[in-house]
Amino acid sequence: MIYVPSRMGQLNRRALLRQLQKLGVASRAELAKALGMSQPTAGKIVDELLTAGVLEEIEVAETVDKGTGVRGRPGRQLQLNQSRPRLLAIQLGLQETNVAALALGIPVADQWHFTFEIIKNEKNPARTWEKSLRAAAQKIGGQNFLGVLLSVPGLVDEPSNRILFSPNIHWTEKADLAKTVRRIWNVPVLLVQEERALALGHHLANPASEDFLLVDFGEGVGGAVIVGGKPLPSPLPISGEIGHTPVLGNRRLCGCGAVGCMETLVSLRGLLESFATATCGKKNSWAQLREHISAHGLEAWLARSLDAAAVAIAGSLNVLGLRRVVITGSLTELPPSVLAHLSAAVQNGSMWAKFGSVECTAAPRRRTAGLIAIGIDRMVVPDSFPQKLSLTKSRPKPGAQNP
Ligand SMILES: [Zn+2]
């Protein structure tokens, strides 16, 4: 028998899980072939992961070799365990917190099971948040979670699980959120910067797209960069903070303490503030803005705000050497003329447009997919694997469905 060092084994496990994330469903032979592993090596990893409840076997009526297209007899195929939740995802936002229990299979779209509002001007927001989270835990039930992934905005030092700075939710800077969550679910907790989760989720759903800048528009404006299929490493836990690029002539005060940041113009609140001003306070809701754009096209105030966002995006592309932008969030809910304007303005400011075209596309938020990817890497096959291998005692029944 060949001795396989544990680090090597862990890399092989991760590689196999990544391959299965890409393929969705695959046979042992297909996995071995795709990874360039011998069938016994791949088979051994598969058996371990089946025992641990990370993978499950499903019966398929007819097998089709993905390489040759040759149809075969009915057989057993593998997929990431979709039968029961293994991870808990929490998304802390400015207005609300979303909670979902997640299986290890990659979901098609974000689906949150429990939502509670963040009460404004709360005296002790950390304590109220913990109370609401406790109520959510009661509803979700005592699942045997492997860990909790907590998506948070702001500057996040992920290795130390701390929020260094949060322009729109300052109370999270002083609160030890991981500790709070652990008081409710006594399992490992990982803080994940929210745009990083979105970018990883997008990559997982579109594995062919390996290099892009994702910009999410919502309560704030943030970005994340994926290069070669991985988040771009940076020496400081400050990256993708595109929303805090100053816009000349803009006098609005930003949550970060600066004046004139781009997000004060194109965040949800920023857009609605400008909309209310433009309509002399007559209109100020998101639905009204959507209708207004459909009826009147892009008015000058909106075009200027989008241009400001485009300048920051084009600047980032020029510096990073990227030609693909993925836009998620609120801007994608507005009439298509909005994204078309933004895209044209990005082209205008990017050097790559002189040689080819910059792709600027709208995409749905795939936050839970990104959190699962991080959970698999850091909780399912962490560095201490296989000490943490026993995730479950019983092996799931082949073909078992979601409960
Ligand atoms: Zn700012």
Side-chain angles (χ1 to χ4, degrees):
M1 195 176 144
I2 301 161
Y3 170 72
V4 182
S6 68
R7 170 88 186 139
M8 195 63 205
Q10 175 222 29
L11 291 176
N12 281 342
R13 285 180 199 106
R14 279 192 188 157
L16 189 137
L17 289 172
R18 287 222 178 94
Q19 195 62 37
L20 204 49
Q21 280 172 347
K22 264 189 209 170
L23 297 172
V25 173
S27 69
R28 287 164 187 254
E30 279 168 345
L31 283 171
K33 200 170 143 195
L35 292 162
M37 284 179 197
S38 71
Q39 289 219 22
T41 305
K44 189 170 161 265
I45 296 173
V46 165
D47 285 337
E48 271 177 10
L49 294 170
L50 278 171
T51 308
V54 178
L55 302 184
E56 62 186 357
E57 277 183 315
I58 50 165
E59 297 283 349
V60 289
E62 188 183 48
T63 54
V64 180
D65 186 294
K66 288 189 181 77
T68 61
V70 173
R71 288 169 191 279
R73 288 178 295 123
R76 284 186 164 190
Q77 299 258 303
L78 299 154
Q79 66 180 18
L80 283 153
N81 195 333
Q82 297 182 10
S83 302
R84 59 199 197 91
R86 300 311 329 251
L87 297 168
L88 186 77
I90 304 173
Q91 182 210 352
L92 171 63
L94 181 55
Q95 317 261 359
E96 57 183 36
T97 292
N98 295 308
V99 187
L102 303 172
L104 300 177
I106 302 303
V108 181
D110 279 354
Q111 244 186 343
W112 300 100
H113 303 144
F114 193 87
T115 296
F116 60 88
E117 275 180 46
I118 308 269
I119 302 156
K120 269 188 194 159
N121 306 321
E122 181 69 38
K123 263 194 203 130
N124 193 337
R127 203 173 60 193
T128 311
W129 189 72
E130 180 172 350
K131 237 168 111 181
S132 305
L133 207 55
R134 228 171 253 286
Q138 297 264 314
K139 298 225 163 135
I140 285 164
Q143 307 275 1
N144 182 20
F145 294 120
L146 198 57
V148 177
L149 296 142
L150 176 54
S151 155
V152 288
L155 301 184
V156 186
D157 184 22
E158 292 183 354
S160 73
N161 251 358
R162 300 292 299 197
I163 298 172
L164 304 178
F165 186 61
S166 193
N168 297 312
I169 323 180
H170 284 295
W171 65 264
T172 61
E173 295 155 6
K174 287 173 202 87
D176 187 340
L177 295 181
K179 204 169 154 190
T180 304
V181 172
R182 269 199 306 272
R183 277 200 290 270
I184 303 170
W185 291 276
N186 190 20
V187 289
V189 178
L190 289 178
L191 262 65
V192 181
Q193 207 283 331
E194 60 175 10
E195 276 83 23
R196 218 170 85 91
L198 288 176
L200 282 168
H202 180 80
H203 175 58
L204 216 53
N206 307 275
S209 185
E210 291 224 299
D211 307 280
F212 61 89
L213 165 71
L214 179 138
V215 186
D216 183 63
F217 291 82
E219 289 154 348
V221 179
V225 178
I226 298 283
V227 172
K230 293 199 170 94
L232 186 71
S234 65
L236 293 176
I238 302 173
S239 148
E241 291 298 329
I242 198 165
H244 299 283
T245 309
V247 177
L248 289 178
N250 176 22
R251 301 302 305 157
R252 281 189 191 164
L253 195 66
C254 181
C256 76
V259 172
C261 292
M262 179 261 269
E263 79 168 32
T264 66
L265 297 174
V266 279
S267 65
L268 276 167
R269 200 171 49 181
L271 286 171
L272 291 181
E273 195 180 323
S274 305
F275 181 45
T277 307
T279 57
C280 302
K282 286 192 197 100
K283 296 179 184 175
N284 59 11
S285 79
W286 192 243
Q288 285 172 327
L289 175 59
R290 227 176 353 218
E291 277 168 34
H292 193 85
I293 297 169
S294 296
H296 304 279
L298 294 193
E299 291 177 344
W301 67 268
L302 181 54
R304 273 198 307 273
S305 302
L306 294 171
D307 288 343
V311 166
I313 294 172
S316 307
L317 298 182
N318 289 343
V319 170
L320 293 163
L322 292 173
R323 53 169 288 268
R324 219 175 252 132
V325 187
V326 176
I327 305 288
T328 57
S330 50
L331 281 196
T332 66
E333 298 160 12
L334 293 173
S337 57
V338 169
L339 214 64
H341 183 96
L342 181 78
S343 176
V346 169
Q347 298 276 351
N348 202 33
S350 98
M351 278 302 275
W352 178 254
K354 319 261 182 274
F355 305 93
S357 67
V358 172
E359 255 177 54
C360 189
T361 48
R365 284 182 176 137
R366 307 280 304 258
R367 198 183 309 275
T368 48
L371 292 176
I372 292 172
I374 294 166
I376 286 179
D377 262 11
R378 296 192 44 201
M379 288 167 161
V380 177
V381 275
D383 292 338
S384 57
F385 200 94
Q387 283 93 315
K388 291 200 173 186
L389 186 59
S390 69
L391 313 181
T392 177
K393 287 184 189 83
S394 63
R395 197 153 138 169
K397 285 193 189 97
Q401 294 300 306
N402 280 323

